[in-house]
Amino acid sequence: MAVDYLSALNVGSGLNTTELIDTLVNAERAPTESLITKGKEERTVNISSVGRIKQGYSDFNSALTPLDGITGLTASHIGSSLDIEISDPTIAKDFSSNIEINSLAASQSLVFDGFSAVTSSVGTGTLEISLGNRASLTVVETTDGSSSNVEIQSITGLDSTAITALAGKTMTLSDGTNTVSHTFSAGALNVAETTTGSSSVIEVQSITGLDATGLASLAGQTLTLSDGTNSITHTFDTAPADLDAMVTALTNATGYSDLGFGITAGTDALTLTYEAVGEVSLATAITSSPSNLAAVVTGLQGATGYADLAFGVTAGTDALTLTYESNASVSLATAETFDPNDDVTKQTITIGTQSSFTVSKTTTGSDSVAEIQTIAGFDSTGLTNLAGQTVTISDGTNSIEHTFATAPADLAAVVTALQGATGYADLTFGITAGTDALTLTYKSAATQDLATAVKIGGGDSLTEVRDYINASSLDIVASVVKKSDTNYALAIKSREGLDYSMNIAVTETPASSGLSSLSYTKFNSTQETVSAADASITVDGISVTRDSNSVTDLIDGMTITLKSTTTSAETIGASYDADTAYAAMSLFITNINTLAANIDAESKRGVNGDESGPLAGDPSIRSLRQKLRAFSTQAIPGFGPDSVYLANFGVRTELDGTLTLNEAEMKAAFENDPDSFAAIMNSRVTTGSPLVTGSVSGDKYTPGVYSFTLTDGVGTLGTTQLTNFGTAYASTSGDTNGVALSISGGGTDTTVYVGKSLLETFQEYAGKLLASTNELDKKIAVYNSEIEDYDAQLAALETRMASVRSQYVTKFSAMNSAVASMESTKTQLTSMMDAWTASLKA
């Protein structure tokens, strides 16, 4: 409600000054306020308009994603035994093959049952689990035992090749009751670069570690030395007398003249001097045992438990002879090897809850003072909690452990138990009783690292063991299976493939039995319910094996999922389909037109009475439309000797800027040259040689055609010298930044085609417009800043109008007072004249 300011001041004269002031103030405010409000509203509309354009690019980017990689190539299969799909369109090509699936890959499954409940205690200790290939050796009977003859059996097939293959494997023999195992070592000698080769310098490398000890370790070893292409092998039945003897042996080996280097004696090392200039990859020097059958026998005879076997092991002809000790007919022994998978790290899993005691220094050692440390936690509560626990104490090198079946009576009982543990005398300290603590007094004067003390116990239920195994990084899965109300089992399953069979070695905590029931170090049919297996496939008459039913490396760019074996050959293939390519192209063009129409609607100029778009005349928005038009007409290099254009596939730009697609022209062009369609939707790197393959990463490269040359191990792509990684070369700068080439068979000079598809070009540009601090967001930020300025102008206008109003109030108040004074004078004069007139009449 309007306020009569003058009446409020009690100076009213009868005039309606409030309306007069409001009219005057509003007349002054209205033009400026209208201009400011209009500007603010325009910027608000602009923000919404830019937001719609940004959303259009987001929708455009999302719509392109399903099209990425479409080449018009379609995979097909006649039959039901497998599925096939294109997994890498950059290398997939049309093909047709016959395939037979002889067997599927299988995961090994082990079952350990006999537990009455999921809470049953399994026992504490460690499980050492490794994955690898377990293979049976052939055992035959050569002399049938009887009451008058001892049984003799043979492990056959151990010729020189088989013996060499034992390197790195564990052989296990069993008489049915007792078992022995021996691991035949395999290793590598250290090879180092002493002079780096270049275009003018010969490379020199050294095989180090060949002092007297290193030479002695070669006894019984086979050394394989390789330059990456050629190799030589020599078996040292005895240790070489010196380096000269080693050089003589190696330089006389078959194939030595084919090596890329010569071998001479250095200082506790062999010197490898290459014959040609240039930097080369390091040579390899691999040692392996056993060197012969006698070494196999020696290894087995020295294995723990050998004396308990019912037979003795000796060397035969390409065989091991097992001679039983007593006259009787016996079942065949079993023999197998386990070859650990080099790609899988062996895991040691601790079973049982482990906690550490607090160890502290009470007297710090020095050159003249023996150190004293304290292990806390042995008050009455701590002693009670030792029941069923294993305590392990270590000085860093040696350790002892003791399992307390029941709680010790006092601290003295703890000390007695620990002092009686195996290895106590080897500790660098003695253990005595302190106050609620153990005192460790070191035997020599010196400062010492803190000892460690842990206890393990409990936490070994069936479900907890399952969880320990599943927490490991191994590719295995453990589960608890209820076989009956009173029989629960721990089931462990590995991934598919022969090289992923499990080997489980158990170490039980002393006085804690049961964990050994999970041991699996040799084949046991009662524990193994499914054997590991590779898939066996025949493709066009060629037999191959794979360790998974998902096969990605059989046909370039294809993933084949094996589902069942076949009874006859089935057909798989891939062929180019013009309808598929047209459908993809049509959708691509539609999305480009939709984005263009969105930009046009927001930026159009009003003609023929049409309303202009909110962003009409904006140069940055106009540049977006121009960029879109340029992308649609630009050359697409890197997909062959000549660049590809959208127009090659029947795409035309109409007068209004929209794109149209001629179906007949598009399909004809595709059928004539389907490979060039990759330029539209499938970025790739191809070469002119099967000995060179390529790939690209990042977005710093320039698409195009480049020459690749390989001279003395130095690779050059275009004008950029590549970084060498053995058989791989990579570009980290220049126009080819991000391009990587892989060489096989020595490689060759060739042409490399680095192509970025038109679809990826659109995606990259759209991605930049959608990234943080992008061009569109910056424009919105400018508009928001201008709106803030308009708000500030409105606030300033309101303040100024309040001042103007105040001035009007003051002026009208003064005027009203003057008018009121004159009215008072008028009244007085009127009264006086009326009185004077009346007096005259009297």
Side-chain angles (χ1 to χ4, degrees):
M1 182 178 66
V3 179
D4 188 343
Y5 298 96
L6 297 180
S7 296
L9 295 173
N10 296 315
V11 293
S13 62
L15 293 174
N16 191 345
T17 58
T18 298
E19 289 185 4
L20 289 173
I21 292 172
D22 286 345
T23 299
L24 291 170
V25 169
N26 288 337
E28 188 171 346
R29 178 207 308 269
T32 303
E33 183 178 49
S34 176
L35 288 173
I36 296 173
T37 301
K38 181 180 179 182
K40 179 179 178 181
E41 290 174 347
E42 286 179 352
R43 287 297 175 253
T44 301
V45 172
N46 290 155
I47 289 174
S48 298
S49 183
V50 174
R52 285 191 293 272
I53 289 177
K54 184 178 178 182
Q55 183 60 49
Y57 272 100
S58 178
D59 294 342
F60 176 70
N61 217 19
S62 298
L64 294 188
T65 300
L67 301 178
D68 190 10
I70 291 180
T71 61
L73 192 67
T74 302
S76 61
H77 167 232
I78 300 174
S80 59
S81 64
L82 59 85
D83 292 326
I84 183 170
E85 63 179 353
I86 299 172
S87 52
D88 186 353
T90 64
I91 59 175
K93 300 291 183 182
D94 56 331
F95 77 98
S96 179
S97 293
N98 291 324
I99 186 171
E100 297 176 72
I101 304 174
N102 308 309
S103 64
L104 296 176
S107 301
Q108 184 189 36
S109 293
L110 302 179
V111 176
F112 306 93
D113 60 6
F115 299 96
S116 60
V118 295
T119 56
S120 295
S121 172
V122 179
T124 59
T126 60
L127 303 177
E128 186 180 80
I129 305 179
S130 52
L131 303 181
N133 190 330
R134 189 180 301 280
S136 298
L137 298 176
T138 301
V139 181
V140 298
E141 187 177 62
T142 55
T143 301
D144 187 9
S146 66
S147 58
S148 58
N149 292 319
V150 296
E151 175 100 5
I152 300 177
Q153 300 173 4
S154 290
I155 303 175
T156 62
L158 295 175
D159 57 14
S160 59
T161 301
I163 291 171
T164 300
L166 287 176
K169 298 180 181 179
T170 298
M171 180 182 285
T172 300
L173 302 184
S174 176
D175 60 16
T177 302
N178 304 294
T179 301
V180 298
S181 295
H182 178 74
T183 299
F184 298 99
S185 63
L189 298 180
N190 183 59
V191 182
E193 190 176 58
T194 54
T195 300
T196 302
S198 68
S199 58
S200 59
V201 177
I202 288 176
E203 173 109 3
V204 181
Q205 300 174 3
S206 291
I207 302 177
T208 59
L210 295 175
D211 54 10
T213 302
L215 291 174
S217 68
L218 290 175
Q221 299 280 319
T222 297
L223 174 62
T224 300
L225 189 56
S226 173
D227 61 11
T229 302
N230 304 295
S231 62
I232 59 172
T233 298
H234 179 76
T235 299
F236 296 94
D237 294 326
T238 60
D242 50 33
L243 272 173
D244 289 334
M246 187 173 181
V247 169
T248 299
L250 293 174
T251 55
N252 285 323
T254 302
Y256 173 72
S257 61
D258 297 326
L259 291 176
F261 49 74
I263 304 173
T264 55
T267 303
D268 295 338
L270 292 179
T271 300
L272 312 181
T273 304
Y274 281 77
E275 299 171 353
V277 295
E279 184 177 5
V280 296
S281 301
L282 287 176
T284 57
I286 308 298
T287 59
S288 62
S289 66
S291 57
N292 50 43
L293 202 53
V296 176
V297 172
T298 299
L300 293 171
Q301 288 180 345
T304 301
Y306 174 75
D308 298 326
L309 289 176
F311 50 74
V313 182
T314 56
T317 302
D318 293 343
L320 291 178
T321 299
L322 313 181
T323 304
Y324 282 77
E325 298 172 352
S326 58
N327 297 341
S329 178
V330 295
S331 300
L332 287 176
T334 59
E336 61 184 44
T337 59
F338 183 79
D339 184 11
N341 190 325
D342 293 335
D343 295 330
V344 181
T345 302
K346 177 171 57 180
Q347 297 274 304
T348 299
I349 302 170
T350 299
I351 305 300
T353 302
Q354 178 174 313
S355 60
S356 299
F357 290 97
T358 299
V359 182
S360 59
K361 293 188 178 186
T362 54
T363 299
T364 301
S366 67
D367 292 341
S368 58
V369 177
E371 181 150 324
I372 300 176
Q373 298 177 6
T374 297
I375 304 176
F378 290 91
D379 56 12
S380 58
T381 301
L383 294 175
T384 300
N385 291 336
L386 286 178
Q389 302 284 304
T390 297
V391 175
T392 300
I393 299 176
S394 173
D395 60 14
T397 303
N398 307 294
S399 63
I400 60 170
E401 67 179 19
H402 179 78
T403 299
F404 295 91
T406 59
D410 49 34
L411 195 54
V414 175
V415 171
T416 299
L418 295 174
Q419 290 179 346
T422 301
Y424 175 74
D426 297 326
L427 293 176
T428 56
F429 49 72
I431 302 175
T432 56
T435 302
D436 294 340
L438 294 176
T439 299
L440 312 181
T441 304
Y442 282 78
K443 299 173 183 178
S444 59
T447 185
Q448 307 285 346
D449 293 331
L450 285 176
T452 58
V454 298
K455 62 179 179 179
I456 301 174
D460 63 338
S461 69
L462 198 58
T463 54
E464 288 169 315
V465 171
R466 172 201 63 195
D467 295 342
Y468 287 133
I469 294 173
N470 287 336
S472 75
S473 60
L474 291 171
D475 198 359
I476 59 177
V477 177
S479 58
V480 175
V481 178
K482 181 180 179 181
K483 300 181 72 173
S484 69
D485 289 341
T486 57
N487 186 8
Y488 289 79
L490 179 70
I492 310 177
K493 183 178 182 179
S494 69
R495 57 151 287 181
E496 297 168 344
L498 272 176
D499 287 339
Y500 295 90
S501 295
M502 291 174 279
N503 191 82
I504 307 175
V506 175
T507 301
E508 291 186 331
T509 301
S512 175
S513 62
L515 193 61
S516 61
S517 65
L518 302 185
S519 174
Y520 193 84
T521 57
K522 66 184 184 72
F523 174 72
N524 186 329
S525 60
T526 63
Q527 295 172 325
E528 184 181 77
T529 56
V530 179
S531 298
D534 285 342
S536 174
I537 315 164
T538 303
V539 180
D540 294 333
I542 303 172
S543 297
V544 298
T545 59
R546 293 294 185 269
D547 64 8
S548 172
N549 289 320
S550 179
V551 182
T552 59
D553 60 352
L554 188 62
I555 308 293
D556 286 346
M558 299 288 168
T559 293
I560 302 171
T561 303
L562 309 180
K563 297 161 58 177
S564 62
T565 58
T566 58
T567 56
S568 59
E570 297 182 355
T571 300
I572 57 174
S575 58
Y576 288 105
D577 178 46
D579 289 334
T580 299
Y582 173 75
M585 178 70 95
S586 179
L587 187 57
F588 185 37
I589 297 304
T590 296
N591 280 294
I592 294 174
N593 285 335
T594 299
L595 178 61
N598 182 29
I599 298 173
D600 290 344
E602 303 297 339
S603 60
K604 67 180 179 179
R605 294 184 179 277
V607 293
N608 300 325
D610 291 339
E611 184 179 354
S612 297
L615 300 174
D618 189 310
S620 61
I621 300 302
R622 185 166 60 251
S623 71
L624 294 181
R625 185 66 177 91
Q626 292 170 345
K627 192 76 171 179
L628 199 62
R629 185 177 294 110
F631 282 154
S632 303
T633 57
Q634 70 181 20
I636 312 170
F639 290 89
D642 301 319
S643 293
V644 179
Y645 296 84
L646 267 179
N648 293 3
F649 291 95
V651 178
R652 300 288 180 268
T653 303
E654 303 301 330
L655 292 177
D656 61 358
T658 60
L659 301 179
T660 58
L661 175 63
N662 185 294
E663 181 177 357
E665 289 184 22
M666 189 275 158
K667 289 184 176 180
F670 178 82
E671 290 171 351
N672 180 58
D673 183 13
D675 186 65
S676 66
F677 186 70
I680 310 302
M681 301 180 186
N682 184 34
S683 298
R684 70 185 188 190
V685 176
T686 57
T687 76
S689 169
L691 300 179
V692 182
T693 57
S695 62
V696 66
S697 60
D699 57 3
K700 297 180 180 179
Y701 66 95
T702 301
V705 182
Y706 299 90
S707 60
F708 172 69
T709 59
L710 189 61
T711 306
D712 295 330
V714 178
T716 303
L717 185 60
T719 60
T720 303
Q721 183 170 321
L722 306 180
T723 303
N724 175 233
F725 300 95
T727 59
Y729 292 81
S731 174
T732 57
S733 62
D735 290 343
T736 58
N737 192 344
V739 176
L741 301 177
S742 181
I743 309 302
S744 60
T748 184
D749 294 351
T750 188
T751 301
V752 177
Y753 303 93
V754 181
K756 178 184 290 185
S757 70
L758 181 60
L759 182 140
E760 184 177 348
T761 300
F762 273 113
Q763 286 180 314
E764 282 186 359
Y765 185 64
K768 291 176 181 177
L769 289 175
L770 297 172
S772 58
T773 66
N774 61 71
E775 182 181 338
L776 295 177
D777 282 344
K778 288 178 181 177
K779 180 170 287 293
I780 290 174
V782 170
Y783 288 155
N784 278 322
S785 177
E786 291 180 3
I787 288 175
E788 291 176 359
D789 289 342
Y790 286 132
D791 286 336
Q793 291 177 41
L794 288 173
L797 177 63
E798 189 63 33
T799 299
R800 186 165 66 83
M801 289 299 98
S803 175
V804 168
R805 182 182 293 278
S806 177
Q807 293 173 16
Y808 277 133
V809 168
T810 300
K811 290 177 180 179
F812 273 93
S813 176
M815 182 196 70
N816 208 23
S817 295
V819 171
S821 176
M822 286 188 287
E823 284 292 334
S824 176
T825 300
K826 172 185 175 183
T827 301
Q828 293 175 2
L829 288 173
T830 300
S831 297
M832 183 181 68
M833 290 301 294
D834 288 343
W836 180 65
T837 301
S839 66
L840 291 175
K841 291 179 179 181

